[in-house]
Amino acid sequence: MSTYLLFSLHLYAQENAMQPDSLATYSFEMLNHQYDFYKNENPTTAKLYLDQMLLKATSLEQRVTSRLLACRHETYFGTTKKAFLHVDTAISLLQTQQNSILLGKAYERKGFVFYYKEKAYDTALDFYLKALQLAKNTNDELLRITVEHKIAALYFTIDNKEVAIQKYRTLYTETYDKTAIPYAIKVSILKSLSNVYLKKYSLHPSEKKLLDSATFFSQKGLKLAFAEKNKKDIAYLRNLLGIASFTNEAYDEALAYLAKAETTAIEIGLTARLKSVYHYKGMVFLAQQQSDSAIFYFKKNVVHLADTTKLFVFPNTYALLSESYEQKNDLKKALQYAQLAIDYTTKTYSKRAALQHTLDTKYDVPKLREKSKQLQKELQQASHTKDIWIILALLLVVILICSFVFFRRKERLNRANFEKTLAKLSKPETSIDIPKNTATTQVSEAQTETILKALAHFEQGTLFVNPDCTLSFLAQELATNTTYLSKVINTHKKQSYTEYLVNLRISYALKRLKNEKRFRAYSIVSIANDCGFKSAKSFSRAFKKSTGIYPSYYIKNLATEI
């Protein structure tokens, strides 16, 4: 069917989509094309064409095809009962016919209903294996690849990610450079590979190559999507690349990908994709300590938390809002969203006691929750306006007291850590005693003394703020080798080289911030870069670990102290 004819059909369909009688003149093939066009973006309109396909079908192939499409539609947008009804009807039609290809497709579809709707993975696998055998018997390569893909997805779902990756990579090798393989199959495999590598990296964050693989396959998929001009997949893959960049702490790159994904999704009306875009934009801004921007994007997803009968894909949205307000030092709002997080958790995660305990501990609100329940009960029993105002006043007092206690406790802790940090900076630096017995380090006394003196000189300078100041780099600068240098630092500095370097940078930051008013006016990102850190997030995390307070608090209180 020509592109012009298809475009004309789409325009005509938009004018007559709500008039099923007008579709009676369409051929089965035209209805199939229209259903394929609308099936994901507008399921309601797609259903009109599908209903006509079921009525129009005459041949065995048409009847089975329309039933399998109806099964797909009910699986994603309808009921389990109807999905099984359609696929079982298709299988019944085929049992008296010698059409193994269509029967294989029907088995694959029924397996997917068990997988997607029933979560009955063993039964799903049984039907997948039946379909796979028929695909091999009939040399139906596309059906075989489709079923193998579904089996890989099943392994991914049950957390056997090694097998899933192995199967996905095999499918990628078999399909990517083959012109006979449809675009939809190729891009689906690439998206699956990206997702499984991202998921595995989240479990093994030390294995950077997993994140690189996720990015590699996302970029491959994006290249295909651009060639196909498929904006839905372009939005999806840009979003994946944004997630990968965020995970890699490449925040500017992440925002660039996410912004493009947002633009494309809005352009084609793909509102479902925006949930993920807004979530990860919020995550980027939270990591950069841009609280207002983080709050702006997290709030865009709050509307999806209203229905507690369904678990939202990002159920931690309230908790992230609480963290954003806490970062902003708006403790009242932080407390409010912490309570909302607890309420949502109670309703949607009733069996996850550990998560409930974590939220209670972090935000210190169980007493407020219990008191609020008591006051609400008294409010319901009150029959006079005066009583209502008294109860409301009591509720306000309880909230204010709990907020005050929460704030004061946090402020006292921060103040104590601030004063402790200043006191430590005021102490004169002590010289390093070089022990006579260095046998345990396997480094001679002379070598140890030379290295320690060189380190003392190194500590007085600023070479350690160089982002490329690795162990091998420093060893070369100090005219020694990495083994000796590492052993001396481990033994005499009582820390690893990475810890040693980070502590030097934090100490440098503390001194400069205390002594240089102009430096205190820099952004957190600029301060982090000047002190040798690659991101504001890693700097803030190290600063908090070393001092017990965030850089923003230290800077703010320095001005008052000085």
Side-chain angles (χ1 to χ4, degrees), residues 367-562:
K367 291 181 180 179
L368 175 59
R369 182 175 56 197
E370 187 62 31
K371 188 64 178 178
S372 297
K373 288 180 181 178
Q374 178 185 341
L375 291 175
Q376 288 171 4
K377 185 177 180 181
E378 293 176 6
L379 183 61
Q380 292 171 357
Q381 294 172 347
S383 58
H384 302 291
T385 305
K386 182 179 179 181
D387 294 334
I388 293 175
W389 280 108
I390 292 173
I391 292 170
L392 286 173
L394 287 173
L395 178 60
L396 179 60
V397 169
V398 171
I399 292 174
L400 289 173
I401 290 173
C402 290
S403 298
F404 178 75
V405 170
F406 179 83
F407 174 78
R408 289 294 297 169
R409 183 169 58 187
K410 186 176 180 65
E411 179 61 25
R412 282 198 301 270
L413 180 61
N414 284 340
R415 186 65 193 178
N417 286 329
F418 175 75
E419 292 175 353
K420 182 180 177 181
T421 301
L422 285 185
K424 187 177 179 180
L425 286 176
S426 301
K427 291 181 180 179
E429 296 183 3
T430 57
S431 60
I432 300 173
D433 292 329
I434 304 174
K436 297 302 180 182
N437 183 11
T438 60
T440 56
T441 66
Q442 299 178 345
V443 184
S444 70
E445 289 184 18
Q447 290 170 325
T448 299
E449 183 174 357
T450 299
I451 292 172
L452 284 174
K453 286 181 178 179
L455 286 175
H457 180 72
F458 167 69
E459 291 164 9
Q460 295 302 314
T462 59
L463 184 60
F464 50 77
V465 301
N466 184 340
D468 298 321
C469 188
T470 61
L471 180 65
S472 58
F473 174 85
L474 183 57
Q476 187 175 356
E477 288 290 320
L478 303 186
T480 184
N481 60 60
T482 56
T483 302
Y484 285 3
L485 179 58
S486 178
K487 288 181 180 296
V488 169
I489 291 174
N490 293 162
T491 302
H492 296 284
K493 302 295 183 180
K494 306 300 182 186
Q495 52 193 328
S496 68
Y497 175 73
T498 300
E499 292 169 336
Y500 171 66
L501 191 64
V502 167
N503 288 332
L504 284 176
R505 289 171 176 175
I506 294 299
S507 179
Y508 173 77
L510 289 167
K511 292 174 184 176
R512 277 197 69 185
L513 288 169
K514 181 182 177 183
N515 298 327
E516 299 179 26
K517 181 178 179 180
R518 184 176 179 182
F519 194 52
R520 292 196 293 273
Y522 286 12
S523 68
I524 298 296
V525 173
S526 297
I527 293 171
N529 290 337
D530 274 18
C531 294
F533 291 90
K534 292 184 178 180
S535 70
K537 182 178 180 181
S538 59
F539 170 63
S540 296
R541 186 167 56 236
F543 197 99
K544 180 76 161 59
K545 182 179 179 181
S546 176
T547 65
I549 55 178
Y550 283 109
S552 55
Y553 183 92
Y554 180 69
I555 293 168
K556 178 182 177 182
N557 283 269
L558 270 177
T560 305
E561 189 72 19
I562 293 172

Side-chain angles (χ1 to χ4, degrees), residues 90-106:
I91 290 173
S92 178
L93 289 170
L94 291 165
Q95 283 178 341
T96 58
Q97 306 293 326
Q98 297 296 321
N99 195 324
S100 297
I101 294 176
L102 286 177
L103 185 59
K105 292 179 179 179

Side-chain angles (χ1 to χ4, degrees), residues 224-258:
L224 282 183
F226 270 116
E228 194 71 14
K229 297 181 180 179
N230 188 311
K231 292 187 176 181
K232 179 185 174 184
D233 287 335
I234 289 172
Y236 182 93
L237 288 157
R238 277 174 167 167
N239 186 58
L240 268 184
L241 285 164
I243 296 171
S245 297
F246 161 73
T247 307
N248 200 28
E249 298 185 7
Y251 297 132
D252 291 340
E253 183 179 78
L255 287 175
Y257 276 124
L258 292 170

